[in-house]
Amino acid sequence: MRLNNWLGIEFPFIQGGMANIATGEFAAAVSNAGGLGLIGAGGMNLDSFRENIRVCKEKTDKPFGVNIMLMHPQAKEMAELAAEEKIPVVTTGAGNPSAYISMWKNAGAKVIPVVPGVALAKRVAEYGADAVIAEGTESGGHVGELTTMALVPQVADAVNLPVIAAGGIASGRQLLAAFALGAIGAQLGTCLLVSEECPIHANYKAAILKAKDNGTTVTGRSAGVPVRLLKNKMVREYLKKEAAGADKMELEHYTLGSLRRAVFDGDVDNGSLMAGQVAGQLREIKPLRQIFEELYQGYLDTLTKLEQER
Ligand code: TUI
């Protein structure tokens, strides 16, 4: 079974949660282009989350979902709203969603937690998750330790659920690899940041297009919240403070509001430009539909090439 057949969409792609970026309008654009769009509740408050759900319902008649960021102070209220609004797909990130799974399922949702390792995959399977997203450390934003290459097959072997691969997927070759590792589809984030429809500031998009293979790093390991983002002035200063033993409060204060500075103000020196390791391979801003078509066609072409070579 492929993700697109299971969800009733055209391509086997689900969009990442992308706090402060994945608005109702963007989620609708992703769904209208043939993927599964998600409204990222991280970065919203309860009222703006409700308003973004309304906008998304208005702008698409295709399936869409929400991503509940579990570290959010209003995560519980947002989880309840997703059930009330009968959102067809719920993904989660940055925590263990077990307490909410039965509520979402009773509301008719397909529940797909993001897991950084086998232990959480097994736990959410026990609680009735319908699938899991195995997200490797190549991803942008809050990351786990394991690479997609190591994580996806171990999760696929450990749980009797469909697995969606995430982290490091932005070309047909990488999509083929994800299928080979046991995934039924891919979650995409970084390659969608450089779509025409993505609402981030033009400077943020330009910084991704300029990035090289080693253009990202991970901050916040010492504070227990590792975050992958593009290297810039703020990141270099943060890493210096971290190495000098700054405490969690000081580090949090330093980065307060930094994602919003990147997304809305285009401050590429002092903002958190969250992005995955594939940033180095992205060269052009394209419409979402073209990104999906090229990714899928690239997968088919690579498969044909491999078959001819064997
Ligand atoms: O959640 C993400 N990526 C995100 S969330 C986000 S917003 C944010 N901004 C600043 C600091 C922190 C967050 C930006 N990017 N991806 C899914 C993900 N989930 N990655 C890692 C995890 C994860 C980590 C530990 C999930 C569960 C977990 O342990 C839970 C447990 O209790 O076992």
Side-chain angles (χ1 to χ4, degrees), residues 19 69 71 92-96 114 116 120 135 140-144 225 227 274:
M69 209 281 274
M71 277 169 46
T92 64
N96 179 351
V114 170
L120 188 60
E135 189 180 284
H142 180 36
V143 289
V225 189
V227 170
M274 293 187 190

Side-chain angles (χ1 to χ4, degrees), residues 50-66:
R50 189 181 286 110
E51 172 61 11
N52 275 278
I53 292 171
R54 191 192 64 71
V55 169
C56 190
K57 284 181 174 170
E58 189 186 289
K59 294 196 178 262
T60 188
D61 51 11
K62 302 237 159 56
F64 70 96
V66 297

Side-chain angles (χ1 to χ4, degrees), residues 88-146:
V89 178
V90 179
T91 74
T92 64
N96 179 351
S98 299
Y100 304 125
I101 293 178
S102 63
M103 175 179 72
W104 289 324
K105 292 198 66 170
N106 290 337
K110 291 187 167 81
V111 179
I112 320 179
V114 170
V115 299
V118 165
L120 188 60
K122 284 185 171 169
R123 173 59 64 91
V124 298
E126 277 168 25
Y127 278 78
D130 296 290
V132 291
I133 299 165
E135 189 180 284
T137 195
E138 297 93 324
S139 299
H142 180 36
V143 289
E145 288 290 334
L146 291 167

